[in-house]
Amino acid sequence: MTSTLPTTKMANAIRALAMDAVQKANSGHPGMPMGMADIAVALWANHYSHNPANPKWVNRDRFVLSNGHGSMLHYALLHLTGYDLSMDEIRNFRQLHSKTPGHPEVDITPGIETTTGPLGQGITNAVGMALAEKLLAAEFNRPGFDVVNHHTYVFLGDGCLMEGISHEACSLAGTLRLSKLIALYDDNGISIDGHVEGWFTDDTPKRFESYGWNVIRAVDGHDVSAVDAAIQQAKASDKPTLICCRTVIGKGSPNMEGTHNVHGAALGDKEIAATREAMGWTYAPFDVPADVYAAWDAKEKGKAVEAGWNTLLKSYSEKFPKEAAELARRMAGELPGDLNKAVDAYIAACVEKKETIATRKASQNAIQALAPVLPEFLGGSADLTGSNLTNWKECVAVRADQAGNHINYGVREFGMSAIMNGIALHGGYIPFGATFLTFSDYSRNALRMAALMKLRSIFVFTHDSIGLGEDGPTHQSIEHVSSLRLIPNLDNWRPCDTVESAVAWEQAVKRKDGPSTLIFSRQNLPFQERDAEQIANIKRGGYVLRDAPNAKAILIATGSEIELAVKSVDELAKHGVAVRIVSMPSTDVFDRQDAAYKASVLTKGLPRVAIEAGVTSFWYKYVGLEGGVIGIDTFGESAPAGVLFKHFGFTVENVIAAVKKTLA
């Protein structure tokens, strides 16, 4: 730190901005920012490598506010250090369309690395960021050229550590020895309900030591020098580090500090006045003196740090031009130029082979075809690799001492999904990870966060229905596909064969503005014949798979139920009833098509029947109240798949009856 300004005054600027913004909004959480202000001084003034003028500088440190309710701490830091976040935005805290929403949101506020708020996911995103950094460094760094070399810092509180996902993520981080990950724990003993000792008595240091972390105990979180020394120690460790900082929530408030009353409510004018007096802060609300701004200003330092890195990168580019170009491409999120050629060749091969295989196997084949042209692929599975089939011939398992491109996440579905989001946020990789569809429930909030953040995370879900068979109703998906379709900005693909599976993968990879789920069968599904136009239309989410002159009805199906639709239409044709088949692998994508195209697929006035091995209610938006839906509105049973499909009414006879009923 070059400034001679007392660190207490620097911290008090954060406290003042936090309590003033919350008071003006009459909404928010002043306690954490006031309690962690000194920790923030130690990190941001002495260690945090960043450039406020270029928030997306590739080799910046990443900072994650896992306890995101304390967002004013982060906004105060961004404002004071020189980011494009004006005092007017601070005054506008928690107001419509401001850059200072209630919880930090990536791409809304310059300098925010991830959207936090759901506790535990911030630290888990950070694990993904640190993992991405470690793998990229192993892939691209050369002796004397550490072009990827930065830390991931996390602020977290008791709430994050109570969430089960923190166990999933931090356990894996310790196993993989993510030494560039440093978490600072705000150990204030308070949550919204009060003193946590009544429900949270974990020995947190021992817990993290058991994960394989470096733990620095009992640091005075209000002693900037002590926190600074702890961070220095952490940076020298070959393990991830947890720095346990004892703090007082609402530090500075003479009547409310140390209580849950200051956690999530404005202090009130009277207490704010008393706090100002106690801190010796004589300035008006939202008034920061010039000497404080000067002490916090990181623009020149940030410019110099980035310039030094740019010099290193220039030398690296001269010596390793291929690697430098590849790193730039991948960090920009651009796809390789030969991707389309590889996709077209693979789809042509699928058409030629006409294989009847499970779509989970079709997915693996697609991965195998794409991986050689997508070195940014970073796959994985939550323990079920041999079932989910997310590995490929050339993939290398990631280990603590081994860089690779396939992660064994262990039985950690939620952790996997949020780590993937962190990898996507960091940049340089396209992450995908898999589990059984039923266990998407464990991952659901991370899927929602991926959609909210518009991340290119690809979630692979196999064993997609009662077709799973003998494992029974605990493992059989019923409501899952429809419920995933309810998440805004999440594209869900349920393909019916090798070609649709290839297109689903292609579209997920090419999508830059949101995540995708790829939903695959356990059982074999037959290849469907298509012409070139039909293949081209798969990417539109729904298309006419089989048409008939003077069709009297439309059958809509997805995934494994396409086979039943085809058999039923063939039988109906024998009875003189012409029926169109519409395959709709992605209702989300289909819904975004123009009205003319949708009308060409689902012709107005034709009765419709939908078939899907899941809940029926979703499909009435397409078939209308007069249409028919063949689905399942109960839980499944344990039996072979073929027996189950017959038991639950997925038969030609039932489809024919449903069609005839709509025509009556």
Side-chain angles (χ1 to χ4, degrees):
M1 188 185 304
T2 56
S3 171
T4 58
L5 192 76
T7 56
T8 303
K9 191 171 183 181
M10 295 175 70
N12 284 345
I14 295 172
R15 294 185 174 105
L17 287 174
M19 66 183 183
D20 288 341
V22 172
Q23 183 67 24
K24 186 174 184 297
N26 195 30
S27 174
H29 299 76
M32 186 279 264
M34 297 173 75
M36 294 195 78
D38 303 295
I39 301 170
V41 173
L43 175 62
W44 278 63
N46 298 350
H47 297 278
Y48 190 51
S49 180
H50 64 126
N51 183 6
N54 183 12
K56 296 295 186 182
W57 169 40
V58 165
N59 199 47
R60 68 192 182 279
D61 288 342
R62 270 61 169 181
F63 175 75
V64 174
L65 193 76
S66 192
N67 42 356
H69 55 269
S71 58
M72 264 310 306
L73 173 75
H74 206 168
Y75 299 148
L77 287 166
L78 294 170
H79 171 76
L80 292 167
T81 55
Y83 285 78
D84 183 19
L85 191 69
S86 68
M87 188 63 83
D88 284 341
E89 293 291 352
I90 301 293
R91 289 191 184 94
N92 214 22
F93 178 55
R94 287 186 163 229
Q95 304 309 300
L96 184 64
H97 302 319
S98 75
K99 291 183 180 180
T100 49
H103 292 81
E105 294 186 41
V106 70
D107 297 330
I108 298 295
T109 315
I112 298 295
E113 300 287 355
T114 180
T115 299
T116 58
L119 294 176
Q121 286 197 67
I123 175 63
T124 309
N125 294 162
V127 169
M129 294 175 187
L131 178 56
E133 191 274 346
K134 180 174 181 173
L135 295 176
L136 279 171
E139 187 174 352
F140 288 99
N141 288 354
R142 297 293 183 271
F145 294 95
D146 289 343
V147 290
V148 180
N149 182 17
H150 51 267
H151 287 83
T152 301
Y153 296 100
V154 187
F155 282 5
L156 54 82
D158 296 302
C160 288
L161 295 179
M162 288 185 231
E163 289 284 1
I165 191 175
S166 70
H167 166 81
E168 297 182 28
C170 295
S171 169
L172 185 60
T175 298
L176 296 177
R177 290 204 297 276
L178 303 181
S179 60
K180 298 281 191 67
L181 175 63
I182 299 173
L184 294 106
Y185 168 32
D186 181 30
D187 184 11
N188 61 30
I190 296 290
S191 67
I192 288 178
D193 280 357
H195 292 271
V196 301
E197 61 198 24
W199 52 87
F200 183 60
T201 57
D202 299 17
D203 189 332
T204 297
K206 282 186 179 178
R207 171 185 161 188
F208 275 76
E209 285 168 353
S210 77
Y211 294 153
W213 284 54
N214 170 45
V215 178
I216 303 173
R217 298 167 176 251
V219 176
D220 182 350
H222 302 300
D223 183 337
V224 172
S225 297
V227 178
D228 175 61
I231 297 170
Q232 288 280 20
Q233 183 183 335
K235 289 164 78 172
S237 176
D238 63 352
K239 302 175 180 178
T241 296
L242 180 73
I243 302 173
C244 301
C245 302
R246 289 292 304 180
T247 62
V248 177
I249 192 169
K251 176 71 173 177
S253 171
N255 301 301
M256 296 175 68
E257 68 173 25
T259 73
H260 70 281
N261 297 322
V262 75
H263 184 286
L267 272 65
D269 291 331
K270 184 177 179 181
E271 186 64 15
I272 286 177
T275 304
R276 275 186 153 77
E277 184 176 355
M279 295 192 308
W281 191 262
T282 59
Y283 313 100
F286 305 104
D287 183 15
V288 177
D291 60 342
V292 173
Y293 274 126
W296 272 112
D297 193 343
K299 293 192 292 293
E300 286 304 313
K301 184 179 179 182
K303 182 180 178 181
V305 170
E306 183 176 355
W309 181 80
N310 284 334
T311 301
L312 176 68
L313 184 65
K314 186 173 184 295
S315 299
Y316 176 82
S317 301
E318 291 168 354
K319 195 164 184 177
F320 307 101
K322 183 180 177 182
E323 290 84 352
E326 179 68 3
L327 178 62
R329 177 189 72 80
R330 284 170 52 177
M331 290 305 295
E334 300 299 329
L335 295 171
D338 52 353
L339 175 63
N340 287 337
K341 183 179 178 182
V343 169
D344 291 344
Y346 176 62
I347 290 174
C350 289
V351 172
E352 183 179 353
K353 290 180 180 178
K354 304 182 191 309
E355 289 180 297
T356 293
I357 55 177
T359 51
R360 60 172 175 156
K361 180 60 181 176
S363 168
Q364 185 179 44
N365 292 348
I367 295 169
Q368 186 65 60
L370 293 173
V373 295
L374 285 173
E376 56 264 58
F377 257 181
L378 184 56
S381 183
D383 195 56
L384 294 165
T385 304
S387 295
N388 298 146
L389 305 182
T390 50
N391 55 342
W392 61 103
K393 291 177 183 176
E394 300 83 11
C395 72
V396 177
V398 173
R399 296 290 185 265
D401 299 314
Q402 176 177 285
N405 51 11
H406 189 274
I407 302 165
N408 297 105
Y409 285 100
V411 188
R412 301 182 177 100
E413 296 90 352
F414 193 7
M416 173 184 71
S417 302
I419 288 170
M420 286 165 53
N421 290 345
I423 293 168
L425 285 159
H426 181 279
Y429 294 102
I430 298 176
F432 61 90
T435 186
F436 287 2
L437 177 59
T438 311
F439 305 133
S440 64
D441 286 340
Y442 285 134
S443 303
R444 190 176 181 89
N445 201 259
L447 271 64
R448 183 178 188 272
M449 294 301 290
L452 179 62
M453 291 189 276
K454 302 177 181 176
L455 303 180
R456 183 158 50 190
S457 297
I458 301 174
F459 303 97
V460 177
F461 297 125
T462 68
H463 298 63
D464 68 346
S465 69
I466 57 171
L468 179 139
E470 291 88 340
D471 279 339
T474 61
H475 284 50
Q476 291 167 3
S477 308
I478 301 298
E479 75 278 19
H480 297 79
V481 176
S482 287
S483 74
L484 290 170
R485 291 169 177 148
L486 297 176
I487 299 176
N489 198 43
L490 178 64
D491 282 358
N492 302 279
W493 291 86
R494 187 170 184 249
C496 74
D497 68 354
T498 54
V499 174
E500 284 193 358
S501 298
V503 174
W505 264 106
E506 175 197 20
Q507 294 306 301
V509 165
K510 288 182 175 179
R511 190 182 184 210
K512 292 185 177 183
D513 59 353
S516 303
T517 74
L518 304 179
I519 299 166
F520 299 117
S521 72
R522 178 195 185 201
Q523 73 274 26
N524 290 341
L525 303 180
F527 175 83
Q528 301 296 332
E529 294 287 352
R530 302 171 186 82
D531 61 26
E533 183 180 3
Q534 287 171 309
I535 293 173
N537 283 336
I538 295 172
K539 67 182 180 184
R540 305 185 78 163
Y543 64 102
V544 179
L545 174 65
R546 188 178 306 179
D547 212 354
N550 303 311
K552 303 299 182 188
I554 299 174
L555 274 182
I556 309 169
T558 76
S560 54
E561 286 66 71
I562 285 291
E563 178 182 10
L564 176 58
V566 170
K567 289 178 178 178
S568 300
V569 165
D570 287 343
E571 193 63 30
L572 282 161
K574 295 176 183 176
H575 294 82
V577 181
V579 176
R580 170 184 292 178
I581 300 174
V582 169
S583 178
M584 202 173 287
S586 178
T587 62
D588 312 278
V589 176
F590 180 76
D591 287 349
R592 294 198 297 270
Q593 304 305 306
D594 62 81
Y597 178 76
K598 287 190 284 190
S600 73
V601 175
L602 299 177
T603 305
K604 189 177 180 181
L606 285 183
R608 303 166 189 175
V609 174
I611 317 170
E612 187 171 65
V615 293
T616 61
S617 58
F618 170 84
W619 286 101
Y620 288 100
K621 66 183 282 189
Y622 298 104
V623 304
L625 296 179
E626 298 77 24
V629 181
I630 295 174
I632 309 172
D633 290 316
T634 66
F635 294 114
E637 297 281 352
S638 178
V643 174
L644 290 173
F645 278 111
K646 186 176 181 179
H647 173 76
F648 285 104
F650 289 89
T651 64
V652 170
E653 294 75 18
N654 274 354
V655 175
I656 291 173
V659 171
K660 288 183 175 180
K661 185 178 178 181
T662 64
L663 293 172

